[in-house]
Amino acid sequence: MFSKYIRLRDNNICITCGKQLEKGMECGHLFSRVNTMTRFDERFAFCQCHECNRYHEANRNRFDTVFINRYGEKLYAEGLKLAGKVKIWSLDEMDELAEKFKSEIKRLGG
């Protein structure tokens, strides 16, 4: 649900290169999905094409630079701080997130 919401929110436009495709777009996480505190944080997830999302995993610079230029170093630093913390999601919290993003998807017409 989260990935679908992010792609709809961003109109299937890659934040990194600007490519727009109806299919094949992905949810790119500024900080790895392993970082549970930022995994479902909308501020740090964006639509990316497959190429940019895979390239980002090997080379953070381009995505980080785009993010900082658009949203600022303060938010980036906040994300880094959060990414270093562990969040263990309860089943109830996961259900709440799923419902939230289902609602958002519906609101966006998806």
Side-chain angles (χ1 to χ4, degrees), residues 27-49:
C27 176
H29 292 77
L30 185 63
F31 306 104
S32 173
R33 293 183 310 162
V34 174
N35 298 303
T36 55
M37 279 296 288
T38 56
R39 183 170 186 167
F40 301 111
D41 192 323
E42 302 164 62
R43 299 173 300 168
F44 307 113
F46 301 90
C47 183
Q48 283 190 303
C49 66

Short mmCIF file of all heavy atoms in Angstrom, two decimals, residues 27-49:
data_model
loop_
_atom_site.label_atom_id
_atom_site.label_comp_id
_atom_site.label_asym_id
_atom_site.label_seq_id
_atom_site.Cartn_x
_atom_site.Cartn_y
_atom_site.Cartn_z
N CYS A 27 9.00 2.61 -5.53
CA CYS A 27 9.07 3.49 -4.36
C CYS A 27 10.52 3.49 -3.90
O CYS A 27 11.03 2.48 -3.43
CB CYS A 27 8.16 2.98 -3.25
SG CYS A 27 8.26 3.93 -1.73
N GLY A 28 11.18 4.62 -4.08
CA GLY A 28 12.57 4.75 -3.66
C GLY A 28 12.63 5.34 -2.26
O GLY A 28 11.98 6.34 -1.98
N HIS A 29 13.37 4.70 -1.39
CA HIS A 29 13.54 5.17 -0.02
C HIS A 29 14.86 5.90 0.08
O HIS A 29 15.90 5.35 -0.27
CB HIS A 29 13.52 3.99 0.95
CG HIS A 29 12.19 3.32 1.04
ND1 HIS A 29 11.73 2.45 0.06
CD2 HIS A 29 11.21 3.40 1.97
CE1 HIS A 29 10.53 2.02 0.42
NE2 HIS A 29 10.19 2.58 1.55
N LEU A 30 14.82 7.13 0.55
CA LEU A 30 16.05 7.91 0.71
C LEU A 30 17.01 7.17 1.62
O LEU A 30 18.21 7.12 1.37
CB LEU A 30 15.73 9.29 1.27
CG LEU A 30 16.89 10.25 1.38
CD1 LEU A 30 17.47 10.58 0.00
CD2 LEU A 30 16.47 11.54 2.08
N PHE A 31 16.47 6.59 2.67
CA PHE A 31 17.25 5.77 3.59
C PHE A 31 16.76 4.33 3.43
O PHE A 31 15.56 4.10 3.29
CB PHE A 31 17.08 6.27 5.03
CG PHE A 31 17.38 7.73 5.16
CD1 PHE A 31 16.35 8.65 5.29
CD2 PHE A 31 18.68 8.20 5.09
CE1 PHE A 31 16.60 10.01 5.38
CE2 PHE A 31 18.95 9.57 5.17
CZ PHE A 31 17.91 10.47 5.31
N SER A 32 17.64 3.39 3.42
CA SER A 32 17.29 2.00 3.14
C SER A 32 16.04 1.56 3.89
O SER A 32 15.80 1.97 5.02
CB SER A 32 18.47 1.11 3.54
OG SER A 32 18.11 -0.25 3.44
N ARG A 33 15.28 0.68 3.25
CA ARG A 33 14.07 0.13 3.88
C ARG A 33 14.41 -0.64 5.16
O ARG A 33 13.55 -0.88 5.99
CB ARG A 33 13.33 -0.80 2.92
CG ARG A 33 12.74 -0.06 1.76
CD ARG A 33 11.96 -0.96 0.86
NE ARG A 33 12.71 -2.16 0.48
CZ ARG A 33 12.19 -3.25 -0.01
NH1 ARG A 33 10.90 -3.34 -0.20
NH2 ARG A 33 12.94 -4.28 -0.33
N VAL A 34 15.66 -1.01 5.32
CA VAL A 34 16.11 -1.69 6.54
C VAL A 34 15.92 -0.77 7.75
O VAL A 34 15.69 -1.24 8.86
CB VAL A 34 17.59 -2.12 6.41
CG1 VAL A 34 18.13 -2.70 7.69
CG2 VAL A 34 17.76 -3.09 5.26
N ASN A 35 15.99 0.52 7.51
CA ASN A 35 15.81 1.50 8.59
C ASN A 35 14.32 1.63 8.91
O ASN A 35 13.58 2.33 8.23
CB ASN A 35 16.39 2.86 8.18
CG ASN A 35 17.87 2.77 7.91
OD1 ASN A 35 18.64 2.36 8.76
ND2 ASN A 35 18.27 3.11 6.70
N THR A 36 13.91 0.94 9.94
CA THR A 36 12.49 0.81 10.23
C THR A 36 11.82 2.11 10.67
O THR A 36 10.61 2.26 10.52
CB THR A 36 12.25 -0.29 11.30
OG1 THR A 36 13.04 0.00 12.46
CG2 THR A 36 12.63 -1.65 10.73
N MET A 37 12.57 3.05 11.20
CA MET A 37 11.96 4.33 11.62
C MET A 37 11.56 5.19 10.43
O MET A 37 10.64 5.99 10.53
CB MET A 37 12.93 5.13 12.51
CG MET A 37 12.96 4.70 13.94
SD MET A 37 11.39 4.93 14.83
CE MET A 37 11.34 6.69 15.01
N THR A 38 12.25 5.04 9.31
CA THR A 38 11.94 5.87 8.15
C THR A 38 11.27 5.09 7.02
O THR A 38 10.87 5.68 6.02
CB THR A 38 13.23 6.54 7.59
OG1 THR A 38 14.20 5.53 7.30
CG2 THR A 38 13.80 7.54 8.59
N ARG A 39 11.12 3.80 7.18
CA ARG A 39 10.60 2.96 6.10
C ARG A 39 9.24 3.42 5.57
O ARG A 39 8.99 3.41 4.38
CB ARG A 39 10.52 1.51 6.54
CG ARG A 39 10.06 0.61 5.40
CD ARG A 39 10.18 -0.83 5.72
NE ARG A 39 9.85 -1.59 4.51
CZ ARG A 39 10.08 -2.86 4.37
NH1 ARG A 39 10.65 -3.53 5.34
NH2 ARG A 39 9.75 -3.47 3.26
N PHE A 40 8.33 3.80 6.46
CA PHE A 40 6.99 4.22 6.06
C PHE A 40 6.77 5.72 6.27
O PHE A 40 5.65 6.19 6.35
CB PHE A 40 5.93 3.42 6.81
CG PHE A 40 6.04 1.94 6.56
CD1 PHE A 40 6.45 1.08 7.58
CD2 PHE A 40 5.76 1.42 5.31
CE1 PHE A 40 6.56 -0.28 7.35
CE2 PHE A 40 5.88 0.05 5.07
CZ PHE A 40 6.28 -0.80 6.10
N ASP A 41 7.86 6.47 6.35
CA ASP A 41 7.79 7.92 6.52
C ASP A 41 7.73 8.56 5.13
O ASP A 41 8.70 8.53 4.38
CB ASP A 41 9.00 8.42 7.30
CG ASP A 41 8.88 9.86 7.76
OD1 ASP A 41 8.30 10.68 7.01
OD2 ASP A 41 9.37 10.17 8.85
N GLU A 42 6.59 9.16 4.83
CA GLU A 42 6.35 9.74 3.49
C GLU A 42 7.37 10.82 3.12
O GLU A 42 7.60 11.07 1.94
CB GLU A 42 4.96 10.36 3.44
CG GLU A 42 3.85 9.40 3.75
CD GLU A 42 2.56 10.13 4.06
OE1 GLU A 42 2.05 10.83 3.16
OE2 GLU A 42 2.07 9.98 5.20
N ARG A 43 7.97 11.44 4.11
CA ARG A 43 8.93 12.51 3.83
C ARG A 43 10.21 11.99 3.19
O ARG A 43 10.95 12.76 2.57
CB ARG A 43 9.28 13.26 5.12
CG ARG A 43 8.09 13.92 5.77
CD ARG A 43 8.46 14.49 7.12
NE ARG A 43 8.94 13.42 8.01
CZ ARG A 43 9.54 13.64 9.16
NH1 ARG A 43 9.76 14.88 9.58
NH2 ARG A 43 9.95 12.63 9.92
N PHE A 44 10.45 10.69 3.32
CA PHE A 44 11.71 10.13 2.85
C PHE A 44 11.53 9.04 1.79
O PHE A 44 12.43 8.24 1.55
CB PHE A 44 12.52 9.60 4.04
CG PHE A 44 12.71 10.63 5.12
CD1 PHE A 44 12.12 10.47 6.36
CD2 PHE A 44 13.44 11.78 4.88
CE1 PHE A 44 12.27 11.43 7.35
CE2 PHE A 44 13.59 12.75 5.86
CZ PHE A 44 13.01 12.57 7.10
N ALA A 45 10.37 9.01 1.17
CA ALA A 45 10.09 8.03 0.11
C ALA A 45 9.53 8.76 -1.10
O ALA A 45 8.69 9.65 -0.97
CB ALA A 45 9.11 6.98 0.61
N PHE A 46 10.00 8.37 -2.28
CA PHE A 46 9.63 9.06 -3.51
C PHE A 46 9.56 8.06 -4.66
O PHE A 46 10.22 7.03 -4.64
CB PHE A 46 10.66 10.14 -3.85
CG PHE A 46 10.79 11.16 -2.77
CD1 PHE A 46 11.71 11.00 -1.76
CD2 PHE A 46 9.95 12.26 -2.76
CE1 PHE A 46 11.80 11.92 -0.73
CE2 PHE A 46 10.03 13.19 -1.74
CZ PHE A 46 10.96 13.02 -0.72
N CYS A 47 8.79 8.43 -5.65
CA CYS A 47 8.73 7.63 -6.87
C CYS A 47 10.08 7.71 -7.58
O CYS A 47 10.68 8.79 -7.69
CB CYS A 47 7.62 8.17 -7.78
SG CYS A 47 7.40 7.20 -9.28
N GLN A 48 10.56 6.56 -8.02
CA GLN A 48 11.77 6.50 -8.82
C GLN A 48 11.59 5.46 -9.92
O GLN A 48 10.90 4.46 -9.73
CB GLN A 48 12.99 6.10 -7.98
CG GLN A 48 13.54 7.20 -7.11
CD GLN A 48 14.86 6.80 -6.51
OE1 GLN A 48 14.96 5.79 -5.83
NE2 GLN A 48 15.89 7.59 -6.75
N CYS A 49 12.24 5.72 -11.04
CA CYS A 49 12.27 4.69 -12.09
C CYS A 49 13.20 3.58 -11.60
O CYS A 49 14.00 3.78 -10.67
CB CYS A 49 12.73 5.28 -13.42
SG CYS A 49 14.45 5.85 -13.45
#
